[in-house]
Amino acid sequence: MDILWEFFISGNVYNLFAFPSECNFSGTRFNLDLVKLIKEDSHNALEGSTYSRGCWMVLIDAAKGGATEPPDLSKHKADFVVISFYKIFGYPTGLGALIVRNETAKLLKKTYFSGGTVAASVADSDFVKRRAGVEEIFEDGTISYLSIASILHGFRILNTLTMSAISRHTTSLATFVRKTLSAMKHENGTHVCTLYGANSSKVLFEGMGPIVSFNLRRPDGSWFGYREVEKLASLAGIQLRTGCFCNPGACAKYLGLSHSDLLSNFEAGHVCWDDHDVLCGKPTGAVRASFGYMSTFEDASNFVNFIKASFVSLPSRTPGVNTLRGTTISPAIEGIGRANPRLKSISIYPIKSCLGFSVSSWPLATTGLLHDREWLLRSTSGEILTQKKVPDMCHITTLIDLDLGILFVESPRCKEKLQIKLKSDFPVGKDEVNIHPQRYEVEVYHDEIDSWFSDAVGRPCTLLRCSGQQGYACSNRNRISRLCRDLETKMNFVNEAQFLLVSEESVNDLNARLRSNVQHHFDGELIQVSTSRFRPNLVVCGGEAYAEDGWRSLRIGKTEFISLGGCNRCQMINLSLQGGKVQRSNEPLATLAEYRRTKGKITFGILLRHDDSTGKHSDAWLHVGEEIRASLA
């Protein structure tokens, strides 16, 4: 939104008023007459503020608005204008420009210099002579000449289409979408969509740009989270931006978030770019659909049809509140009554996001399966590496020999197999790592091991081993349960719980649905998934599909477990290793979204916690073939 920025230069007082020509959050266009008003009548415009004295300069941020309706500087004589070629053309990325009036350029000062901006300098004394041209002074370093050459082609496209035609085209698309969304209602008559920016004051604002910013509500008035919208849109081949769009001021204004709301959310662990889209009954961000000169009416129509199909409640369906069982699936109670399933396989994943290994029996620890997710890889910038960010991690295989006390690691990129002794090969130091919302104490290995993993993933990284949980970043007084994992038990580097259980029958049903989708739509390649696609610790067989959804607790052999509910699925299950290459697709997540979606989550499998009320975890083992007895919720 509009920003008032006081800016002083020694000797004379200059004030700088900066505002965007178009709000990137709501799409509201600002009245460019503000330029003349501030420059010629600042005293009245600022209502007698102490800052109204002096000479006022005006900057228009046209990074967003310049893409479809650039300001006419012959009418609106701003001193500075900022533009982004990326937003205008789509390419080149990262290149923009500051347009400065010649008579204003002399006011710009620099206290430093770097390559290409000086005519002469003396290394051992305070002498520098800057170049004469304003662009020569401020263009530090080597310019991206190839990107600049690309701009010529972008301007040729704009000149061919003309900006007036682009403006009419994009405005019509956005208007169509905005009107269609505002008219959508659930079967009970409640509105589906809350639009932002459409009812702004006409004194400061002038029309709407080619973006539509909104949030969606369920029939009961609760919010669909923007992450849910984004996830489903991606599966439908629609790209949206979600969150606050790097505009926290407008975000707080339009969403009605007070200072206490923002601080409370942060204290509870919510930060930008995370998945916590609804807190304390309020959305933390929004959904934005943007249109450019390359957008078509078909794009806009497909988008509104997607919203209607995925989020509008009709008499025959209620999106987002599915029963989590297909209509052809027997109820969980019947499954339990007829047969007790058995444990078919046990898998351990020592290094987070790398391949695991299966065993016939394995001991339990206070953190779950012994050594499960006990290690992880961290980049030199502090980022935790996962398959979603580094798909090649699925090439790294692991195996633990408990008798030898060695973790074996192999990678096709490394000639030698890595051996890490579980006890004596311990690290050279200790560190801390935050995996939201948990803080861990970790141990760091020597350079040789880090070098091996850096070669394996193709980027510099370090191997860390969990040595204990130090504390929680989740504030209990806020009681925002969605931000907190299972806080009652110790865990290694897992996302939500100690164990993940998947049913073989549930996977078989999913594969039947995948086959049916291909047969009915005649498009795309048949994709069949194995249980390993979901990276479960425990696979059970012998019961009914989705019977696990109804389990409150279960006993495997003599070991007790408590169910923590369904496992929320993400794009990671769409990655598969085929022919030595990592393949991406929309499946099986797209099919799961059709019948396994509830309250913002697409679930498959259940999360478990070891019930250690007896205190005998150190003696407990799991064995393949053990019978499972479950208690129903």
Side-chain angles (χ1 to χ4, degrees):
M1 299 298 293
D2 50 326
I3 303 168
L4 184 62
W5 180 19
E6 290 77 39
F7 169 75
F8 299 91
I9 296 180
S10 59
N12 296 310
V13 176
Y14 290 91
N15 302 310
L16 180 66
F17 183 85
F19 71 99
S21 61
E22 182 181 314
C23 174
N24 78 316
F25 187 95
S26 65
T28 302
R29 285 178 172 150
F30 285 72
N31 190 332
L32 297 184
D33 287 340
L34 280 170
V35 176
K36 182 177 181 180
L37 183 65
I38 293 297
K39 291 180 74 68
E40 297 181 1
D41 194 15
S42 59
H43 182 77
N44 289 328
L46 300 175
E47 298 180 349
S49 167
T50 56
Y51 299 113
S52 64
R53 295 187 298 271
C55 181
W56 277 88
M57 304 285 102
V58 178
L59 179 148
I60 298 177
D61 179 357
K64 174 66 184 74
T68 55
E69 194 164 311
D72 185 343
L73 298 184
S74 66
K75 295 180 180 179
H76 309 290
K77 300 183 182 299
D79 301 282
F80 311 98
V81 179
V82 178
I83 61 173
S84 166
F85 296 117
Y86 169 67
K87 288 181 171 61
I88 296 174
F89 310 133
Y91 178 85
T93 302
L95 195 65
L98 171 64
I99 301 173
V100 184
R101 287 195 176 273
N102 290 326
E103 58 269 27
T104 311
K106 64 179 182 294
L107 299 177
L108 299 177
K109 306 295 182 183
K110 284 179 64 177
T111 58
Y112 67 95
F113 69 89
S114 57
T117 62
V118 295
S121 65
V122 178
D124 56 356
S125 67
D126 188 14
F127 173 83
V128 60
K129 181 65 176 178
R130 290 180 172 83
R131 293 184 180 273
V134 62
E135 74 282 1
E136 295 174 321
I137 297 175
F138 287 94
E139 289 178 350
D140 297 293
T142 303
I143 299 171
S144 177
Y145 292 104
L146 291 179
S147 295
I148 293 175
S150 302
I151 294 174
L152 175 63
H153 301 284
F155 277 119
R156 283 175 177 169
I157 293 175
L158 296 186
N159 291 334
T160 300
L161 299 174
T162 73
M163 291 304 300
S164 59
I166 291 174
S167 180
R168 290 193 302 271
H169 172 68
T170 55
T171 299
S172 65
L173 293 179
T175 300
F176 162 72
V177 170
R178 198 173 289 113
K179 288 183 176 180
T180 306
L181 292 183
S182 64
M184 281 187 182
K185 293 183 179 181
H186 293 294
E187 61 172 328
N188 64 359
T190 60
H191 283 278
V192 176
C193 185
T194 297
L195 295 169
Y196 300 118
N199 298 316
S200 300
S201 165
K202 293 183 179 180
V203 177
L204 292 177
F205 306 107
E206 192 173 77
M208 300 293 295
I211 66 174
V212 183
S213 182
F214 62 94
N215 271 311
L216 301 173
R217 288 184 182 269
R218 297 185 176 88
D220 62 2
S222 62
W223 298 96
F224 286 103
Y226 59 78
R227 286 296 190 195
E228 179 181 3
V229 181
E230 180 183 25
K231 181 189 294 185
L232 296 177
S234 177
L235 296 174
I238 298 171
Q239 298 302 313
L240 303 170
R241 186 170 177 185
T242 61
C244 281
F245 322 133
C246 297
N247 193 337
C251 186
K253 172 188 174 180
Y254 285 110
L255 301 182
L257 299 174
S258 65
H259 287 180
S260 60
D261 290 332
L262 298 173
L263 292 175
S264 177
N265 290 347
F266 175 74
E267 289 174 1
H270 170 55
V271 294
C272 293
W273 304 101
D274 67 17
D275 292 332
H276 307 302
D277 45 22
V278 179
L279 298 177
C280 298
K282 292 183 178 181
T284 60
V287 182
R288 188 181 75 188
S290 304
F291 299 96
Y293 66 80
M294 70 297 293
S295 302
T296 65
F297 176 76
E298 287 72 20
D299 295 331
S301 180
N302 289 339
F303 171 67
V304 295
N305 288 337
F306 156 74
I307 295 295
K308 183 176 182 179
S310 302
F311 300 99
V312 179
S313 175
L314 301 175
S316 60
R317 61 180 173 83
T318 303
V321 290
N322 301 18
T323 60
L324 295 185
R325 297 188 184 95
T327 56
T328 61
I329 304 302
S330 302
I333 292 179
E334 295 182 12
I336 294 296
R338 286 200 296 267
N340 286 325
R342 294 183 176 275
L343 183 60
K344 183 175 182 179
S345 68
I346 303 169
S347 297
I348 298 92
Y349 306 88
I351 304 175
K352 185 179 179 68
S353 257
C354 295
L355 291 180
F357 61 97
S358 296
V359 293
S360 58
S361 60
W362 198 258
L364 296 179
T366 57
T367 55
L369 290 170
L370 182 63
H371 302 308
D372 185 55
R373 274 90 168 188
E374 194 167 312
W375 291 264
L376 60 72
L377 297 177
R378 182 176 66 178
S379 72
T380 54
S381 64
E383 180 185 32
I384 304 304
L385 302 185
T386 66
Q387 279 191 30
K388 284 190 288 187
K389 302 169 185 174
V390 188
D392 284 343
M393 291 180 71
C394 70
H395 292 294
I396 300 176
T397 60
T398 59
L399 176 67
I400 291 178
D401 189 315
L402 293 177
D403 294 331
L404 296 177
I406 295 177
L407 166 63
F408 296 94
V409 191
E410 292 185 85
S411 168
R413 291 184 173 181
C414 302
K415 294 181 180 179
E416 296 182 0
K417 179 188 296 186
L418 182 65
Q419 299 184 26
I420 300 175
K421 294 180 181 179
L422 301 180
K423 291 185 177 180
S424 60
D425 223 1
F426 251 123
V428 294
K430 293 188 176 183
D431 198 354
E432 290 184 3
V433 62
N434 289 309
I435 303 179
H436 185 72
Q438 186 68 56
R439 184 183 300 114
Y440 294 89
E441 289 182 347
V442 296
E443 292 172 317
V444 183
Y445 284 88
H446 49 77
D447 292 342
E448 289 79 2
I449 289 180
D450 290 343
S451 178
W452 190 95
F453 279 102
S454 297
D455 292 338
V457 299
R459 65 178 67 185
C461 64
T462 58
L463 179 69
L464 305 179
R465 184 177 185 179
C466 180
S467 60
Q469 294 172 323
Q470 189 180 54
Y472 300 101
C474 179
S475 174
N476 291 330
R477 67 182 177 87
N478 289 281
R479 298 181 180 179
I480 302 175
S481 59
R482 284 195 60 186
L483 289 181
C484 302
R485 308 179 308 165
D486 172 18
L487 301 184
E488 298 182 22
T489 51
K490 293 182 179 179
M491 293 184 290
N492 287 330
F493 299 126
V494 294
N495 291 336
E496 296 179 276
Q498 291 179 333
F499 303 88
L500 170 62
L501 179 147
V502 166
S503 159
E504 186 176 58
E505 284 72 25
S506 300
V507 175
N508 291 340
D509 176 77
L510 171 60
N511 281 324
R513 295 172 187 271
L514 290 169
R515 288 192 296 270
S516 176
N517 284 348
V518 171
Q519 293 169 0
H520 281 87
H521 297 103
F522 299 101
D523 56 355
E525 181 181 350
L526 176 62
I527 295 177
Q528 297 288 273
V529 298
S530 64
T531 55
S532 62
R533 178 74 73 92
F534 303 95
R535 296 177 65 81
N537 297 113
L538 310 174
V539 177
V540 301
C541 65
E544 294 289 332
Y546 310 107
E548 64 274 14
D549 292 339
W551 296 351
R552 182 182 73 252
S553 61
L554 61 149
R555 176 186 294 178
I556 304 178
K558 297 181 179 180
T559 307
E560 302 285 345
F561 297 87
I562 297 173
S563 173
L564 303 177
C567 178
N568 187 25
R569 291 301 179 176
C570 66
Q571 297 279 358
M572 187 167 170
I573 64 173
N574 289 341
L575 299 177
S576 64
L577 187 61
Q578 299 178 11
K581 295 183 179 180
V582 179
Q583 304 291 332
R584 293 178 182 267
S585 71
N586 286 339
E587 297 291 1
L589 194 60
T591 295
L592 287 174
E594 296 174 358
Y595 74 108
R596 299 287 301 175
R597 175 175 152 230
T598 179
K599 292 292 183 180
K601 297 182 178 181
I602 302 172
T603 63
F604 192 81
I606 60 173
L607 302 169
L608 301 177
R609 179 179 73 224
H610 180 208
D611 184 5
D612 186 33
S613 56
T614 63
K616 297 181 180 180
H617 60 78
S618 59
D619 301 325
W621 282 65
L622 290 181
H623 304 274
V624 169
E626 288 183 316
E627 188 177 62
I628 296 173
R629 295 188 176 274
S631 298
L632 300 180

